[in-house]
Amino acid sequence: MEGGGQHYNPRTVEEVFRDFKSRRAGIIKALTTDVVDFYQQCDPEKENLCLYGFPNERWEVNLPAEEVPPELPEPALGINFARDGMQEKDWLSLVAVHSDAWLLAVAFYFGARFGFDRADRKRLFNMINDLPSIYEVVMGIAKKQTKEKSAASNHSSSKPKSNPKRIMEPQGKFSKGLQQKDEDEDEDEEDEGLEEEDDEHGDALCGACGENYGQDEFWICCDICEKWFHGKCVKITPARAEHIKQYKCPACSNKRARV
């Protein structure tokens, strides 16, 4: 079978992977965009038929090679016999599964023939494994996974980026208010962006300098008057705040001292 790649011998990992992708593309076409034509060609009244994918991204339904053993591993034999005995979706999924197995067999046949070592085999498998299987494509699983991955990526990029200094304070030394607000935001507002967080805290003013809340600035709240302060304005660092059980701003500390 000339189109099947009998005289095409990829010798490097990259060439074998390119061969794998091209054959895979051909089979995916047969099971998706060309599925009507593929279905018609798999007539159960014919002899044992196989689905081949070629390095030129084409597919073909044909009889198996006559020589034994064949030049390349053969696909599943007799896929046409089950066509009318199963639901079309189930039949296509079965052909897809066997096609995945065949593609792996062909790829590692080339690897064995041209002496791929352990590192090359692992690299080839990892490259192949990064692609969705034919079964996943045909059953729509790959599309769903892509959407979920895209949604997760968008969620990750849009989620407010917490100030690392605030993360360093698990005991909530900055303010019960902000810590509770952060927890509520994590649970109820995970999809809100960085701009929304800035807007939400934009009205907070430092009790010392009067400047607005800054996204990348360390803030601490007085447990007495509940005013917010830049850490630098009251000379409190995140490390120091970690050891303060109850923070009192300078004004409240002076009041207590006078009393």
Side-chain angles (χ1 to χ4, degrees):
M1 187 174 296
E2 193 74 26
Q6 288 174 302
H7 303 293
Y8 172 67
N9 293 319
R11 295 174 178 270
T12 68
V13 171
E14 287 72 23
E15 288 176 344
V16 172
F17 180 61
R18 190 158 52 245
D19 178 84
F20 175 92
K21 284 203 303 181
S22 298
R23 294 176 188 273
R24 171 180 173 274
I27 293 176
I28 288 175
K29 285 179 186 176
L31 300 180
T32 55
T33 57
D34 299 344
V35 68
V36 175
D37 186 19
F38 170 65
Y39 188 88
Q40 292 174 345
Q41 290 192 37
C42 290
D43 185 348
E45 298 300 321
K46 295 181 180 179
E47 297 181 56
N48 289 297
L49 295 176
C50 301
L51 172 60
Y52 293 89
F54 299 141
N56 59 2
E57 299 189 7
R58 298 196 173 196
W59 61 273
E60 180 182 75
V61 172
N62 209 335
L63 296 170
E66 293 182 1
E67 68 269 21
V68 178
E71 177 68 16
L72 292 178
E74 286 292 327
L77 184 66
I79 58 172
N80 52 314
F81 294 151
R83 191 195 73 175
D84 294 344
M86 304 174 65
Q87 291 289 330
E88 182 176 337
K89 183 178 179 181
D90 294 336
W91 177 67
L92 290 174
S93 71
L94 186 63
V95 175
V97 167
H98 282 289
S99 296
D100 279 319
W102 176 64
L103 288 180
L104 282 173
V106 172
F108 280 85
Y109 165 83
F110 285 130
R113 180 170 180 176
F114 296 110
F116 286 6
D117 60 17
R118 180 179 179 181
D120 284 341
R121 291 194 303 271
K122 184 176 181 180
R123 188 155 64 94
L124 175 59
F125 176 79
N126 288 337
M127 293 166 75
I128 291 173
N129 202 40
D130 282 339
L131 295 173
S133 66
I134 295 175
Y135 173 81
E136 289 172 330
V137 173
V138 171
M139 300 304 292
I141 299 172
K143 191 173 182 180
K144 182 180 177 182
Q145 289 174 338
T146 300
K147 285 183 178 179
E148 290 175 349
K149 196 172 184 180
S150 176
S153 177
N154 291 337
H155 169 72
S156 176
S157 63
S158 66
K159 188 174 180 181
K161 297 178 182 177
S162 299
N163 187 334
K165 296 178 180 177
R166 289 164 62 188
I167 294 174
M168 291 168 59
E169 310 296 330
Q171 303 302 320
K173 302 300 185 299
F174 314 115
S175 131
K176 303 168 188 174
L178 183 57
Q179 183 184 15
Q180 185 62 44
K181 190 174 285 187
D182 283 345
E183 291 173 354
D184 291 342
E185 287 171 355
D186 286 341
E187 294 174 2
D188 304 324
E189 301 175 9
E190 291 182 348
D191 293 328
E192 294 190 3
L194 190 57
E195 292 181 3
E196 292 173 315
E197 184 178 296
D198 285 339
D199 290 340
E200 185 176 330
H201 299 299
D203 295 334
L205 301 176
C206 175
C209 70
E211 294 293 328
N212 285 22
Y213 168 83
Q215 173 69 19
D216 298 323
E217 296 178 296
F218 167 74
W219 277 53
I220 190 167
C221 182
C222 175
D223 287 314
I224 306 301
C225 67
E226 296 188 351
K227 288 184 180 179
W228 286 92
F229 299 87
H230 290 111
K232 62 184 180 182
C233 291
V234 290
K235 298 182 179 178
I236 298 292
T237 64
R240 184 178 173 189
E242 187 65 29
H243 301 286
I244 301 175
K245 292 182 179 180
Q246 184 183 52
Y247 174 68
K248 290 180 286 189
C249 68
C252 290
S253 295
N254 290 335
K255 288 178 184 177
R256 289 295 183 94
R258 285 197 296 270
V259 171

